[in-house]
Each structure stands twice: as C-alpha cells, then as structure tokens.
Amino acid sequence: ALEQTDYEEVVQSEPSPISPARLRTLLRQKLADDIQYLQSQASSPLYEFIDIMRHGYMIEDTIYIIEGIKGKTEYDLLLKRADPLGEFPGMRTIKAAESENYASVYQTVLIDLPVGKYFHKFLEDILVTTNEKDINAKESIMKDYKHEKTKNYLKKIWLTEVYKFCTQTLAGPSREIMENLLKFESDCMTIQIIYNSLGVKDLTDAKGRESERKKYIHLLGYLYPGCDQKLTDADTLEKLKDAVKPYDQYKRMLEHVQEPWKDEEFNSGAKTMDDYMFEEQAKVYALAFEQQFHCACFYSYLKLKEQEIRNIGYMADLVSIGMAKNLPQWKKIVVPFKDVYQLIKLCLLYTSPSPRDQRGSRMPSSA
C-alpha cells in the first residue's frame, strides 16, 4: 500500500508483515530525518524557527526518559522508544537523572540541555504560585507534580516562547499565519485540558478550577480574555460548549462529542474528542499553504505529516485486527486537504463557462 509514496524506501527493506508499532517508528524516523535535512539547508530566521519548533518534541522526550529512569526502565530501550523528532545531542546525559523529582535533575542535568530554559521557567513558576521563596523548596513541591501535569505545564511555556519568537523575529505572512496557528493551537490545548478534567472532582470543583486547572490554561489564544471566566467556570460539557459558542470552529469541534467518561471504545467506530480536534486542525494547517514564501508552511508541513502518520498507523491497526472495510472505523481517517479541494472545485466552477453561457469563461481577461 505504501509503494510509490514517500515511505516506499523506508518500508521495503523491512520483513513482512510489519507491525503497526514498528511502522509508526519507521515513519516518524523518516519525518525526523526530513525535518533535520530542511533545517540543515536553512538560514536565519528559518533555522532558528525549526529549532524552536522541535523543542516541543524535545520536552516530551526529556520527560519520557526521566519518568522511564524513575520506573527503572532500561535506558537504551527508552532512547529507542523516544520520538526521533525530539532527539538532541545531549540526550544521553539525562542518564544521570536518578532523582525522584525534576528540581534536582534540573540542577544537575537539564540546565545544560536545549530545553533547560523551559524547565527553569517551570520551576520558577511553581515557586511563585505556591508563594514559596526558598529555592530549596522545589524538591518537596515537585513531589506533587505527576508526569502529565508537568508535560502540560511545559508545553504551555513552550508554546508561549514560540509565539514570542514569531511575533518578535518573523515578519509579513510568516508572522501573521503563525500567530493564527499558535492561537488556534493554544485554544485547542485549553479546550482539551478542560474537557479531560470533566468528571475529575479535584479539577472541577470551585477550588480545583481556580487553583489547579487554571495553571495549565493558555492565555494567548482567541478564547482569552473574552471567554476566560466562562472557561474557568466550566464544570460540565454543556458549560464548555457554551463558553466557546462565539467561535464556530470550536463550537463545531465540540458539537457531537460525549462526556469524556462516555467516550466509545476503539471497536465502536464513534469519533472521540481527539478525532474532531484532528479534523479541525488539519483544515487550519492546510490553509497555511494558500500563501507562499513564509515560515508557517514548515510548521504546517510537520503537523500534517504527523496526521498522515496517524492515519497510516490507525489503518495498520485496523488491518492487523482484520476490521471489515464496510465498518465505521474506516471513516475516522482525517483527509487534510479535503476542504481545500472543495474550495478549489468551487473556484473552478465559478471561472469555467457554463453550458448555457456562450460568452466563454467569466475569468477576467489578462489583456
């Protein structure tokens, strides 16, 4: 199925059948190699832009490796399973991380890594939010931070830094389109965090919404500050839908989702919150290619290739379990440029002569 595609050379040397997990690994390595090659050929500011773009994946890999070390997982196995998009030269130095918290790990290891600045900001924010002035108190505070909380907080800091870079360094269409993409992505993360918190008492009661959940909510999207209070108060799915109602894109995203604890299983074929979000994100990233000669197309290229890999991996899962082609599970594939194709068709329809119009095309003459 992957013959005559970008992935043909990657899979042709693999013994058949290729497991879905192995296939995903091969495709992500191919994407990482492509991004690395693009960066090696780039000059400023594109080189720096791709670098900070990759920091998000480096953060995830760093957290994954540290948590794996805490769980006594073999280090070489952790490196093998890490996302190749997040690889960086100092990755092996994380092996020295034998502590139970990020505070001491930062002081001994992370400070010298490309993602060190994000962890530093994270730890400083913790001291501020807890009104703790003693820097040595980081270790005791960090015991309350689990893997997902840490990742969400760090991704929030990273996205803010990317936004700052784009607005201060880029110009023209690069800045304009990236502002829109990052605001949209920030809003998606906010919606996802609130949605996932529904049904969790410690995050949806009055105290939890204000003191805990709000720490992970993004402040640079279109939802802020206009919808901030309604989002803070959202403790049910209906309240979340009401909070984003002014924005058709987000309203459409939440229109058919169920309560998080009612999400259907894989075998049901029902779309989840992630599925609807991927669909909307694919539309936004595809539209970035309407203009030319800007940095945002590299960001969108990366995101759309990730969606392509998700599609292939998902189809591989269906094939591996013998899912019949007429079942609804096959309809969950996200086609990134589907809506753009429809737009092109409409444009062609408008500019082509109608059989009833003998005057020819309605396209303006170049004369």
Side-chain angles (χ1 to χ4, degrees):
L2 295 177
E3 292 180 359
Q4 298 182 349
T5 71
D6 287 348
Y7 306 114
E8 181 177 10
E9 293 184 5
V10 177
V11 300
Q12 65 182 1
S13 60
E14 288 289 314
S16 184
I18 306 175
S19 70
R22 176 59 179 166
L23 182 60
R24 288 185 177 93
T25 299
L26 291 170
L27 301 191
R28 287 199 72 82
Q29 184 61 61
K30 168 71 164 60
L31 176 56
D33 292 342
D34 290 345
I35 294 298
Q36 187 175 14
Y37 175 77
L38 287 173
Q39 186 176 13
S40 70
Q41 303 300 308
S43 57
S44 185
L46 179 58
Y47 183 92
E48 290 80 11
F49 175 72
I50 295 177
D51 201 40
I52 196 171
M53 189 171 78
R54 293 181 60 230
H55 283 177
Y57 303 95
M58 295 180 190
I59 288 172
E60 292 192 2
D61 274 0
T62 301
I63 296 174
Y64 170 72
I65 290 173
I66 292 175
E67 292 298 322
I69 290 172
K70 289 180 181 179
K72 310 301 181 184
T73 304
E74 187 179 341
Y75 188 69
D76 288 338
L77 184 60
L78 291 173
L79 289 179
K80 185 178 179 180
R81 291 176 177 175
D83 189 342
L85 280 166
E87 289 182 5
F88 53 90
M91 211 163 175
R92 286 193 170 272
T93 63
I94 305 176
K95 190 173 183 179
E98 297 178 353
S99 175
E100 291 298 318
N101 60 76
Y102 290 100
S104 58
V105 171
Y106 169 76
Q107 292 166 354
T108 58
V109 181
L110 299 181
I111 190 171
D112 296 321
L113 300 182
V115 293
K117 61 181 179 180
Y118 304 108
F119 283 86
H120 176 72
K121 180 72 166 66
F122 168 55
L123 295 171
E124 292 303 316
D125 284 356
I126 288 175
L127 291 181
V128 172
T129 55
T130 55
N131 295 318
E132 180 61 64
K133 296 181 180 180
D134 182 8
I135 196 166
N136 294 320
K138 288 179 182 178
E139 293 193 13
S140 59
I141 297 171
M142 279 304 303
K143 291 179 181 178
D144 297 327
Y145 274 81
K146 302 302 181 184
H147 160 250
E148 278 302 317
K149 290 183 178 181
T150 304
K151 185 172 76 171
N152 286 334
Y153 206 112
L154 284 164
K155 292 300 284 287
K156 173 185 175 180
I157 295 171
W158 166 75
L159 200 66
T160 303
E161 289 299 313
V162 178
Y163 185 82
K164 188 185 300 183
F165 174 88
C166 292
T167 54
Q168 295 178 356
T169 306
L170 303 183
S174 292
R175 173 177 175 170
E176 177 186 342
I177 298 172
M178 278 307 302
E179 276 193 69
N180 176 59
L181 292 179
L182 293 172
K183 285 183 177 181
F184 170 76
E185 196 166 320
S186 175
D187 286 341
C188 285
M189 289 184 180
T190 292
I191 293 171
Q192 185 82 66
I193 287 169
I194 295 175
Y195 176 78
N196 290 339
S197 74
L198 300 179
V200 181
K201 185 178 179 181
D202 292 342
L203 296 176
T204 52
D205 60 20
K207 181 181 179 181
R209 294 196 307 270
E210 286 289 345
S211 63
E212 183 62 24
R213 192 177 73 180
K214 202 167 185 177
K215 290 190 293 190
Y216 311 98
I217 302 301
H218 294 248
L219 305 180
L220 61 84
Y222 293 109
L223 294 173
Y224 183 85
C227 303
D228 183 50
Q229 191 56 52
K230 281 192 172 184
L231 289 170
T232 301
D233 295 338
D235 56 1
T236 66
L237 180 57
E238 290 307 313
K239 286 185 179 180
L240 176 58
K241 290 180 178 181
D242 182 66
V244 303
K245 190 184 297 182
Y247 298 89
D248 290 340
Q249 201 168 29
Y250 306 142
K251 179 182 176 182
R252 186 168 59 245
M253 190 186 297
L254 291 169
E255 189 174 5
H256 300 294
V257 299
Q258 303 183 67
E259 302 284 357
W261 57 87
K262 294 180 181 178
D263 254 356
E264 297 292 335
E265 296 294 328
F266 175 81
N267 289 329
S268 73
K271 289 185 177 180
T272 65
M273 175 66 176
D274 286 341
D275 294 323
Y276 288 112
M277 192 165 286
F278 287 148
E279 287 179 357
E280 293 301 321
Q281 288 174 340
K283 295 175 187 177
V284 173
Y285 296 135
L287 289 173
F289 290 90
E290 285 193 322
Q291 297 189 52
Q292 301 176 358
F293 305 110
H294 60 82
C295 292
C297 65
F298 292 90
Y299 188 83
S300 294
Y301 169 80
L302 172 58
K303 296 296 183 178
L304 291 175
K305 291 296 283 187
E306 284 191 290
Q307 181 57 55
E308 182 176 74
I309 293 171
R310 274 194 294 270
N311 286 343
I312 296 173
Y314 178 72
M315 288 188 286
D317 287 332
L318 295 180
V319 171
S320 68
I321 62 174
M323 186 71 67
K325 294 288 183 68
N326 61 338
L327 294 178
Q329 282 83 350
W330 290 93
K331 296 181 180 179
K332 295 175 68 172
I333 306 300
V334 178
V335 184
F337 288 92
K338 180 175 63 176
D339 295 277
V340 177
Y341 290 151
Q342 295 299 323
L343 180 62
I344 293 173
K345 287 180 181 179
L346 288 174
C347 292
L348 291 174
L349 179 64
Y350 176 77
T351 57
S352 301
S354 165
R356 294 172 295 178
D357 187 355
Q358 301 302 315
R359 294 171 297 176
S361 174
R362 295 186 289 277
M363 182 179 289
S365 171
S366 59

